[in-house]
Amino acid sequence: NCIALDARGSLAGVTTTSGLSFKLAGRVGDSPIIGAGLYVDNEVGAAGSTGRGEANIQNCSSFMLVEFMARGASPEEACLRTLERIAAKTKGQPELLDEEGKPDFGLSFYALNKKGEYGSAAMWSGGKFAVHDGRENRLRECAYLFKAKKK
């Protein structure tokens, strides 16, 4: 996923998928579904994701994330709120839960608001995302909902 704010204040977003070669039988990709894998509202912000596409589709996640920003949440806070909602909805699908009752899949969100503030959060700790602020590129740690277990 790549989201950007240009010098005139216009937002844009694009997302890709791993393609057919990496799809498991029966899986549905969320990347081309606006509101799931990507959503841009030029008055508010933009959001995209990577991870379990079905969770995004079932929750209209990128749309919901931008709506959280429209209601005043920072990009990082909006990412975390969206993950909290997905985790809560996943409780009704025991086949998708680990032994502690937490989602047993990865999902990361990336968000940028109209002011140029950005954030990211992942279901599990250890994620990173890249940012270019007009001056330099840098790799940043994602916020996270759950601490990953040491392997």
Short mmCIF file of all heavy atoms in Angstrom, two decimals, residues 6 11 20-21 29 31 37 42 49 58 64 70 85 94 106 125 138 145:
data_model
loop_
_atom_site.label_atom_id
_atom_site.label_comp_id
_atom_site.label_asym_id
_atom_site.label_seq_id
_atom_site.Cartn_x
_atom_site.Cartn_y
_atom_site.Cartn_z
N ASP A 6 0.14 15.40 -1.75
CA ASP A 6 1.03 16.20 -2.60
C ASP A 6 1.13 17.64 -2.10
O ASP A 6 0.48 18.02 -1.12
CB ASP A 6 0.62 16.12 -4.07
CG ASP A 6 -0.67 16.86 -4.42
OD1 ASP A 6 -1.15 17.69 -3.62
OD2 ASP A 6 -1.19 16.60 -5.52
N LEU A 11 -4.81 14.13 -1.69
CA LEU A 11 -4.45 12.78 -1.25
C LEU A 11 -4.61 11.78 -2.38
O LEU A 11 -5.47 11.96 -3.25
CB LEU A 11 -5.37 12.35 -0.10
CG LEU A 11 -5.14 13.07 1.23
CD1 LEU A 11 -6.39 13.00 2.08
CD2 LEU A 11 -3.96 12.45 1.94
N LEU A 20 -2.16 -13.98 -8.20
CA LEU A 20 -2.69 -15.33 -8.24
C LEU A 20 -1.68 -16.37 -7.76
O LEU A 20 -2.04 -17.34 -7.10
CB LEU A 20 -3.14 -15.66 -9.67
CG LEU A 20 -3.87 -16.98 -9.85
CD1 LEU A 20 -5.12 -17.04 -8.98
CD2 LEU A 20 -4.25 -17.15 -11.31
N SER A 21 -0.40 -16.16 -8.03
CA SER A 21 0.60 -17.18 -7.67
C SER A 21 0.70 -17.41 -6.17
O SER A 21 1.14 -18.47 -5.75
CB SER A 21 1.97 -16.79 -8.24
OG SER A 21 2.37 -15.55 -7.71
N GLY A 29 -9.08 -11.70 -2.34
CA GLY A 29 -8.20 -10.56 -2.07
C GLY A 29 -8.99 -9.30 -1.85
O GLY A 29 -10.01 -9.06 -2.48
N SER A 31 -7.51 -6.17 -1.96
CA SER A 31 -6.83 -5.02 -2.57
C SER A 31 -7.69 -4.23 -3.54
O SER A 31 -7.71 -3.01 -3.49
CB SER A 31 -5.54 -5.47 -3.26
OG SER A 31 -4.67 -6.05 -2.33
N GLY A 37 -9.39 -2.84 1.21
CA GLY A 37 -7.94 -2.76 1.14
C GLY A 37 -7.39 -1.35 0.97
O GLY A 37 -6.22 -1.10 1.22
N ASN A 42 -10.58 12.69 0.11
CA ASN A 42 -9.68 13.83 -0.04
C ASN A 42 -9.94 14.96 0.96
O ASN A 42 -9.13 15.85 1.10
CB ASN A 42 -9.70 14.36 -1.47
CG ASN A 42 -8.45 15.14 -1.81
OD1 ASN A 42 -7.35 14.77 -1.40
ND2 ASN A 42 -8.60 16.23 -2.52
N SER A 49 -3.94 -1.25 3.71
CA SER A 49 -3.54 -2.32 4.60
C SER A 49 -2.80 -3.43 3.87
O SER A 49 -2.73 -3.46 2.65
CB SER A 49 -4.78 -2.91 5.26
OG SER A 49 -5.61 -3.49 4.27
N GLN A 58 -14.85 -8.00 5.49
CA GLN A 58 -15.95 -8.16 6.45
C GLN A 58 -16.19 -6.92 7.29
O GLN A 58 -17.29 -6.71 7.80
CB GLN A 58 -15.68 -9.35 7.37
CG GLN A 58 -15.72 -10.67 6.66
CD GLN A 58 -15.13 -11.80 7.48
OE1 GLN A 58 -14.40 -11.59 8.45
NE2 GLN A 58 -15.44 -13.03 7.09
N MET A 64 -13.65 2.40 7.47
CA MET A 64 -13.87 2.65 8.89
C MET A 64 -12.71 3.46 9.49
O MET A 64 -12.93 4.40 10.25
CB MET A 64 -14.01 1.32 9.64
CG MET A 64 -14.23 1.49 11.12
SD MET A 64 -14.54 -0.03 12.06
CE MET A 64 -13.85 -1.32 11.09
N ALA A 70 -12.01 11.11 10.54
CA ALA A 70 -12.98 12.18 10.33
C ALA A 70 -13.60 12.63 11.65
O ALA A 70 -13.97 13.79 11.80
CB ALA A 70 -14.07 11.73 9.36
N ARG A 85 -11.68 -3.35 16.64
CA ARG A 85 -12.99 -3.78 16.16
C ARG A 85 -12.88 -5.14 15.44
O ARG A 85 -13.72 -6.02 15.63
CB ARG A 85 -13.57 -2.73 15.24
CG ARG A 85 -14.91 -3.14 14.72
CD ARG A 85 -15.66 -2.01 14.18
NE ARG A 85 -16.89 -2.52 13.60
CZ ARG A 85 -17.94 -1.81 13.39
NH1 ARG A 85 -17.95 -0.55 13.71
NH2 ARG A 85 -19.01 -2.33 12.85
N PRO A 94 -14.11 -18.95 16.02
CA PRO A 94 -13.07 -19.64 16.80
C PRO A 94 -11.95 -20.26 15.96
O PRO A 94 -10.82 -20.39 16.43
CB PRO A 94 -13.83 -20.72 17.58
CG PRO A 94 -15.23 -20.68 17.10
CD PRO A 94 -15.43 -19.46 16.28
N GLY A 106 -2.22 -12.07 10.68
CA GLY A 106 -1.60 -10.76 10.64
C GLY A 106 -2.44 -9.77 9.85
O GLY A 106 -3.13 -10.13 8.89
N SER A 125 2.90 -7.20 17.34
CA SER A 125 4.12 -6.39 17.42
C SER A 125 5.17 -6.87 16.41
O SER A 125 5.11 -8.00 15.93
CB SER A 125 4.71 -6.45 18.84
OG SER A 125 5.08 -7.77 19.18
N ARG A 138 12.43 7.06 5.96
CA ARG A 138 12.79 6.38 7.20
C ARG A 138 11.84 5.22 7.45
O ARG A 138 10.71 5.22 7.00
CB ARG A 138 12.83 7.29 8.41
CG ARG A 138 12.00 8.45 8.43
CD ARG A 138 12.11 9.22 9.73
NE ARG A 138 10.79 9.75 9.91
CZ ARG A 138 10.51 11.02 9.80
NH1 ARG A 138 11.43 11.89 9.59
NH2 ARG A 138 9.29 11.43 9.94
N LEU A 145 -1.57 -4.02 18.44
CA LEU A 145 -2.64 -4.36 19.35
C LEU A 145 -2.19 -5.42 20.36
O LEU A 145 -2.46 -5.32 21.54
CB LEU A 145 -3.85 -4.86 18.56
CG LEU A 145 -5.19 -4.89 19.27
CD1 LEU A 145 -5.57 -3.52 19.80
CD2 LEU A 145 -6.27 -5.39 18.32
#
